[in-house]
Structures are given as C-alpha cells and as structure tokens.
Amino acid sequence: NYRAACRCKSRKDFISKMGTVVEEADETQLWLELLSESGLVKTELLIGLLKESGELTAIMTASKSSAIKNQSEK
C-alpha cells in the first residue's frame, strides 16, 4: 500500500492511499495485540513487532497529516 502511495499522480490520491496505509498498519498492530492477549503467541516474541508496528503507524500517520497540511497551505 505504501508503494502504491509513492506512485500517486496527485496529492489527493497520495492522501487517500496513505489513509489506507495507516488503516492497514493499525490493523496489523491490532492483530499482534490479539495474538499476545489470547496467549497464542508469547508476548516476549511480539514485543519487537509491536514496537515496530506502533512506530510505523505513527510515521505513516504523520506523513498523511503533513500531506493534508501542505495541501491546504497551497
């Protein structure tokens, strides 16, 4: 999804695709949390992935927000 966003032809399309990227990153984090809480996977094995998924979600959210801000300034 991120790759598709990088190939967009307009800022509006980029913002839309980044919305999908943020949703998917957040959903990935949700599933990792569910795996941990259910006991199917030991939490110790997921700590690094949970941290990374949180960081990626934050980065993608900031990128989308910046694109929206820059769009309204022009």
Side-chain angles (χ1 to χ4, degrees):
N1 291 321
Y2 178 73
R3 232 179 159 159
C6 290
R7 297 177 189 267
C8 289
K9 296 179 181 173
S10 69
R11 187 175 304 270
K12 186 176 180 179
D13 192 28
F14 175 79
I15 292 167
S16 175
K17 286 192 177 4
M18 284 304 290
T20 302
V21 171
V22 170
E23 289 174 14
E24 295 296 330
D26 187 54
E27 184 176 356
T28 298
Q29 190 165 9
L30 168 70
W31 283 106
L32 291 170
E33 290 167 359
L34 289 173
L35 283 171
S36 174
E37 291 169 11
S38 70
L40 290 172
V41 179
K42 292 181 182 179
T43 302
E44 304 84 54
L45 298 174
L46 297 172
I47 290 173
L49 291 173
L50 284 163
K51 182 175 186 273
E52 186 173 0
S53 69
E55 291 169 352
L56 287 171
T57 301
I59 290 167
M60 298 305 164
T61 300
S63 180
K64 180 184 173 200
S65 296
S66 292
I68 292 169
K69 181 181 174 193
N70 290 338
Q71 181 183 31
S72 64
E73 290 177 355
K74 293 187 177 195

